[in-house]
Each structure stands twice: as structure tokens, then as C-alpha cells.
Amino acid sequence: MSQVTRERLFGFRHAFDDRVTVVLTLVALVLFLLAPVLILVVTRAAKSTSDKKKELWDRYRSWIWLALFILIPILAGAFWTILAVATLSSLSYREYARITGLFRERTISLIVVIGILFITFAALDNWYRLFVALFPLTVALIATGGLIPDQPKGYIQRVGLGVLGFALFGSALGHLGYMANDWNYRPILLLIIFAVELNDIFAYICGHLFGHRKFVPNTSPNKTVGGALGAIALTTPLFAIGAHFVWFGTALDTPVRLVGLGIIVSVVGQFGDLMLSSIKRDLGLKDTAKLIPGHGGILDRFDSLILVAPAVFHYVNYFVGFAVGQPQQIFSG
Amino acid sequence: MEPWNLQPARDTGLTPSERFRSVRRESGLLENIAHQVCFLLLRSYFAIAHRLTIMGREKLPAHGPFVLAANHCSHLDALALGTALTRRYRERAFPIAAGDVFFQSTVTSTFSAIMLNALPMWRKNCGPHALADLRQKLQEERAIFIIFPEGGRSRNGSMMPFKHGLGMLVAETNVPVVPCGLVGTFEALPPHQNFPRPVSVKLVIGDALEFASIANDRTGWSQIAATVESCVRDLVAQSRTA
């Protein structure tokens, strides 16, 4: 393993090399310090009930934990980042499998979990060709594993659910881990996660302010056209400005391309949210689990990130590329 | 094509600690692997430390639901009965354990659920609905329950009278009850000791009993308890002489 690779994987001393990382970490810190004041003011002014107050404080406390689970691995090194993404993938798949009932199909679940482990290895190894190959290969394995019980009844269902599970939580979310192979992965990941979470908040606030016309009342009755457009209008410039500093002087650094990337983050993020709403509504559930107080399950919190990861990855990969100049096949080469 | 019939896990909507204590709990992939590993270790432990001999294993029904009912005088009992079940039974096997011993703290309930796949039975303040939930689970999930109808470990090694709970689970159903006699576990690990001694243990499995024609009421329950109790007494006596 070369010195450069070791520094990228474990070099926490480089945590604040990039200005964008410093700014985003500081913003997060300030938000966490200001939030209690804001919650106090809002609950006093609105004369909120004690239930509503408790929910807000639960959410706040959970956000502190979530922020630590996100920030610490990203700052600590690419190795920890990829492991954190693998954990996120596994927990997300677990919730998905439990709410759809796919967890009762042991063989298929096992194949999906093995697929997630291989994706994690491909990301750690910086082996792009394996990373790409794993999608069709795992799908083939799921289709084969579905044959094992020798029961054609329900074959399409269990294989279909397995493939969707791997596509969303193994392959799509795996792109987030693969991004850590870029030398400058810290600001990239922080910016994406920040923008996606802010996008949710913007949609919520704008929906309250200008939301009149319902967006998709059957899928998610609280979403409005105003909220969706407002989120695009606010997230796009913020992301574009951040991305300008992250990809400074590269082929991506033109106003049109940066705005394009911002729109992708905002629009695809909202689609991810709607996707999970559809899954839950189809099953007749409100939350995917009761794991994070005030939020629900892991999926309820990170739904918007799932589709954004591959979209941003391939957009950036088209113009600039990821992991340019980094040694490939670190362990297997 | 089959109509789509997606059934979320029965424990959806419970927090992790509620889930470990819940009768509705359904194991996932990792928990299953943990049960199998635990079972493998226990098997080797009983073979080496207690030279466990099992007689009448062929009398076990081919698949769940069924109930294993045995005499109880040691913490080793449930583990010994668990090792009598082969791998294909294991996934559906639930030892029914005292809530106040195994599910009081988060640490013990996590261990009981993840390693042993145990379900809690609260000895105090347990309404009839607790047994109704277990009765439903037994039939719907084709489960295998490991039960000690004495309601606790015997302090002197001699059997205590069986309680009604067993009857409430199986009366008016086709769920077979398999009586089991255990000998040696009291000598190996009595209730007043903390560490087991290497004493040999014997398990005798009896013929399965069915109570479809016994009424699901107080007299029916006592009748079931009495029938199973006398079977278990015979098996214990049989294994002492064998």
C-alpha cells in the first residue's frame, strides 16, 4: 500500500485540508448550538403541546447522534467512511427486508448481504471494474438463489424484491462509499449529505409558506408543488456554490454544469423521498422502524440519499472522474 | 402469478428493546446465524461435559407446531432440550423463559433473544392475553415451544405439580405435546449453584399427545396438565432406571 493510499484511508490529520470541509463542519456546529434556542422560541411562540415539544427535542437529540455518526467516519479517513456506508447499506436493507417480508426468504437475503459486502470490498480496494460487475452478477445470483426452494409460486416476487433491495441499498448507496476513493472525498460527501438533508428541510418550510397545490396527494399528502419548487430554488444555488469550490478549476466548474448538478441533487433527492413514501404506503406503514427517536427508522431519515448517490457519482464521473490518480486495486492488485 | 401478499415482520413498529421482549418477535438473518452458532456450541458442550444421551428422538413430530414439555430443576434444562432438536427444527424453536429472570434488563433480554431465541413468560401480573398471544404464535408460525409447566425450577430436584398454562396453549388444537424426562441436570447445576459440574445428563423423549378433543376451559386445562405430568413422571423414572 502506497503512502498516499494509507494517508487517504486512515489519515485523520488531513481532515481539515479543504476549506469546504471546515466551513461545513463549522456550519453544522453553529446549527447545533442555535437549534435549542430556536426550538425554545418556536415552542413558546406557538404554545406547542408537550407532545410536540418532546418530539422536537427527540429529533434534536437524535440529530446530534446522527451528525456524529456521519462526521466522525468522514473526517477520520476513507476506510472508516466506506465502513460507515456499508453499515448504512446493511441497516437500510434490514429495514426494507423486514417491512416487505423479504427477510423470510433466507437465501435471497443472504445473497443481498454478501453482495453488499463485496460492494464494500470493491470500494475499499478502489477496484472500479469489480464495483461495476457486481450489479449484474449479484442479480444473476439472486435469480439463481430464488430457485433453491424449488417453489415456482412466488418466484417473481421474492427475486424482484431481492433485486430491488440490492439495487437500492447495495448498488446505489454503495456509490457513496466508492466516492471515498477520491483524494478530496471529504468535502464531496459532506456537501452531498448536507445538501440532501437541507433539501428536505427546504421542501418542508417552503411547503408551509407557499404550498397550496398538492403535489402527489396519493403518495404523500403533505407534499406540495410550492414545497418542491422552493426546495429546488434554494438547494440548487447553495450546492452549486459549494461544488464550485470543491471542483475548482476542473471541467465541471462552469456555471451551467454546476447548476445542473445542483438541480440533480434537489430533484433526485425529492424522488428518493417519494420512493420510500410509495413503498410505505403500499405496505400500509407510517414508519419503516422505531430505531431513531423522533425520526422513525434509518430509511425514514436517509431515503433522499439513496437515489442521489449514483446520480451525482455518474454526473461527476462523466465530466471529471472519481479517484483520478489514486492507486487502484489496493489489496487485490 | 401469485397475488402479491407482502407481510411486514410482526414486530414492525417496536423499539429494539421492546422487540427483544416481545412475543411477536421474528428473527432475521443475523439472529438466525447466532442461534445456529449457539446451538452448535451447546451441542458440543453437552456432548463433552455431560455426555448427553437422548433416547426416543424419532418420536419428535416431523415439523412444527409442537410443544416440548419437561421437568425443570436447572438452567441447563432448556439448553439440553434445545440440543435435542436438529438444525431444521432450530429456526422455529423458542424456549419459554421466566420474564423476571431472563428479560428484566436490556442486557439479559438481548442475550436471551439473540442467543437463545427465548420468549418471556411473566410469572407475576401476566394476564390471559399473554398465553393467548403464545397460543396464536404457536399455530400461525408453526413454532416449537420448549416449556416447563412446573412454573419454575424445583429447589430439591423432585418434580412439582404442573400448572394450567400448558393446557391453555394446546387445548382444542391439533398441536402435539411431546413429554420429555430429564435426569442429571439437577446434579450438574442445581438452582443454588453458579457453575455446572461435569455430571452425565439423560433425556428421554416420549410419545406425542394431542388434546384436540379436550375443552379449552379450566377443567380441560387441569386434565391436560395432569396427563402430561404423569407422562413426564414415567419418563423420568424410566430414564433413572435405564
Side-chain angles (χ1 to χ4, degrees):
Chain A
M1 199 190 296
S2 69
Q3 186 62 29
V4 180
T5 307
R6 196 169 295 127
E7 287 293 314
R8 179 173 62 79
L9 289 177
F10 304 103
F12 57 89
R13 274 177 235 90
H14 299 283
F16 295 108
D17 280 2
D18 195 283
R19 282 173 302 177
V20 178
T21 318
V22 180
V23 171
L24 289 178
T25 314
L26 283 177
V27 169
L29 228 104
V30 170
L31 284 178
F32 277 112
L33 292 175
L34 280 182
V37 184
L38 212 70
I39 294 176
L40 274 179
V41 171
V42 169
T43 47
R44 282 259 163 92
K47 295 199 177 70
S48 303
T49 56
S50 58
D51 275 0
K52 189 78 200 165
K53 271 186 209 164
K54 189 185 169 296
E55 200 205 317
L56 276 174
W57 285 111
D58 274 352
R59 269 178 183 242
Y60 173 67
R61 269 193 295 272
S62 300
W63 258 123
I64 294 178
W65 286 108
L66 287 173
L68 290 176
F69 281 123
I70 294 168
L71 263 175
I72 291 174
I74 291 181
L75 293 178
F79 179 81
W80 308 112
T81 309
I82 293 168
L83 283 196
V85 173
T87 312
L88 179 64
S89 292
S90 314
L91 288 175
S92 303
Y93 173 69
R94 179 177 176 275
E95 273 177 16
Y96 163 86
R98 291 194 80 83
I99 58 170
T100 54
L102 180 63
F103 79 107
R104 296 190 187 93
E105 304 289 344
R106 301 293 191 213
T107 319
I108 289 181
S109 262
L110 188 66
I111 295 170
V112 175
V113 171
I114 291 171
I116 291 175
L117 292 179
F118 268 91
I119 287 268
T120 307
F121 174 74
L124 277 174
D125 198 37
N126 193 12
W127 188 358
Y128 189 65
R129 283 192 292 179
L130 175 66
F131 185 74
V132 173
L134 277 170
F135 184 69
L137 292 182
T138 312
V139 168
L141 210 57
I142 293 170
T144 316
L147 298 171
I148 289 178
D150 190 24
Q151 276 172 353
K153 277 207 178 304
Y155 176 82
I156 304 175
Q157 293 175 28
R158 54 180 185 264
V159 170
L161 282 173
V163 169
L164 179 64
F166 180 72
L168 293 179
F169 312 113
S171 185
L173 262 182
H175 283 81
L176 213 55
Y178 202 88
M179 288 179 194
N181 284 306
D182 201 278
W183 174 255
N184 203 24
Y185 76 92
R186 287 186 181 92
I188 299 176
L189 284 179
L190 286 179
L191 188 65
I192 292 171
I193 295 169
F194 230 85
V196 165
E197 295 305 331
L198 275 181
N199 192 41
D200 280 358
I201 297 169
F202 288 151
Y204 179 79
I205 295 173
C206 294
H208 269 259
L209 294 178
F210 332 102
H212 300 295
R213 200 178 327 152
K214 296 275 185 221
F215 186 26
V216 272
N218 294 326
T219 306
S220 189
N222 292 330
K223 301 256 180 336
T224 58
V225 178
L229 293 178
I232 297 174
L234 289 170
T235 308
T236 305
L238 267 180
F239 190 87
I241 292 167
H244 163 67
F245 289 105
V246 172
W247 284 285
F248 191 78
T250 64
L252 192 62
D253 194 17
T254 71
V256 175
R257 288 173 185 176
L258 290 173
V259 167
L261 187 53
I263 292 174
I264 286 178
V265 169
S266 180
V267 171
V268 178
Q270 297 187 50
F271 281 147
D273 197 348
L274 291 175
M275 173 192 73
L276 191 75
S277 300
S278 287
I279 292 178
K280 286 190 291 191
R281 207 149 274 268
D282 199 4
L283 292 162
L285 296 171
K286 194 183 160 286
D287 287 329
T288 56
K290 209 171 165 189
L291 190 68
I292 318 171
H295 295 265
I298 291 273
L299 274 181
D300 293 306
R301 191 60 274 147
F302 292 102
D303 50 1
S304 317
L305 207 55
I306 299 166
L307 302 181
V308 168
V312 171
F313 184 94
H314 291 293
Y315 187 89
V316 174
N317 205 23
Y318 180 74
F319 290 111
V320 190
F322 266 102
V324 181
Q326 291 293 313
Q328 296 192 349
Q329 290 191 250
I330 301 163
F331 303 102
S332 64
Chain B
M1 194 172 83
E2 282 273 279
W4 284 69
N5 188 17
L6 303 178
Q7 293 291 337
R10 289 184 176 82
D11 50 40
T12 305
L14 299 180
T15 65
S17 76
E18 284 169 354
R19 183 177 163 263
F20 287 141
R21 290 187 173 90
S22 170
V23 173
R24 284 188 281 155
R25 189 181 69 230
E26 282 192 85
S27 300
L29 191 64
L30 283 180
E31 284 162 320
N32 248 309
I33 294 171
H35 301 155
Q36 296 290 1
V37 168
C38 179
F39 159 72
L40 242 164
L41 292 176
L42 280 172
R43 239 186 161 161
S44 340
Y45 164 75
F46 271 98
I48 296 165
H50 301 292
R51 278 170 287 152
L52 176 70
T53 43
I54 301 169
M55 292 188 286
R57 196 185 242 157
E58 70 286 350
K59 292 176 186 168
L60 288 174
H63 52 76
F66 63 86
V67 176
L68 291 177
N71 55 317
H72 196 20
C73 43
S74 165
H75 279 322
L76 292 177
D77 294 343
L79 310 179
L81 282 175
T83 57
L85 298 171
T86 47
R87 210 173 61 82
R88 67 197 173 88
Y89 291 115
R90 183 67 199 170
E91 198 156 311
R92 292 176 195 278
F94 301 91
I96 310 293
D100 49 279
V101 178
F102 292 92
F103 289 90
Q104 197 65 268
S105 74
T106 310
V107 176
T108 55
S109 61
T110 308
F111 173 81
S112 308
I114 291 183
M115 299 310 286
L116 305 176
N117 202 21
L119 296 175
M121 179 82 256
W122 301 95
R123 292 188 279 201
K124 286 166 198 137
N125 315 319
C126 118
H129 66 274
L131 276 160
D133 288 347
L134 284 173
R135 186 182 157 104
Q136 195 186 352
K137 187 184 181 83
L138 188 60
Q139 292 172 34
E140 278 179 5
E141 294 180 31
R142 300 168 79 199
I144 300 165
F145 284 175
I146 297 172
I147 281 195
F148 302 103
E150 290 165 73
R153 286 171 296 162
S154 155
R155 305 290 139 164
N156 56 12
S158 63
M159 245 173 83
M160 300 182 290
F162 278 14
K163 295 190 170 176
H164 288 169
L166 173 63
M168 294 162 90
L169 290 177
V170 297
E172 284 180 6
T173 69
N174 290 320
V175 178
V177 176
V178 183
C180 301
L182 266 166
V183 172
T185 51
F186 182 76
E187 289 73 17
L189 181 68
H192 50 81
Q193 261 184 29
N194 287 329
F195 290 99
R197 284 181 303 194
V199 176
S200 61
V201 171
K202 241 184 245 169
L203 166 64
V204 184
I205 299 171
D207 291 309
L209 309 162
E210 274 193 38
F211 300 100
S213 56
I214 306 285
N216 189 15
D217 58 20
R218 198 160 276 279
T219 39
W221 303 333
S222 335
Q223 198 183 331
I224 293 171
T227 314
V228 178
E229 185 185 335
S230 75
C231 280
V232 172
R233 271 187 203 284
D234 289 348
L235 289 169
V236 171
Q238 192 187 322
S239 55
R240 278 197 202 285
T241 53

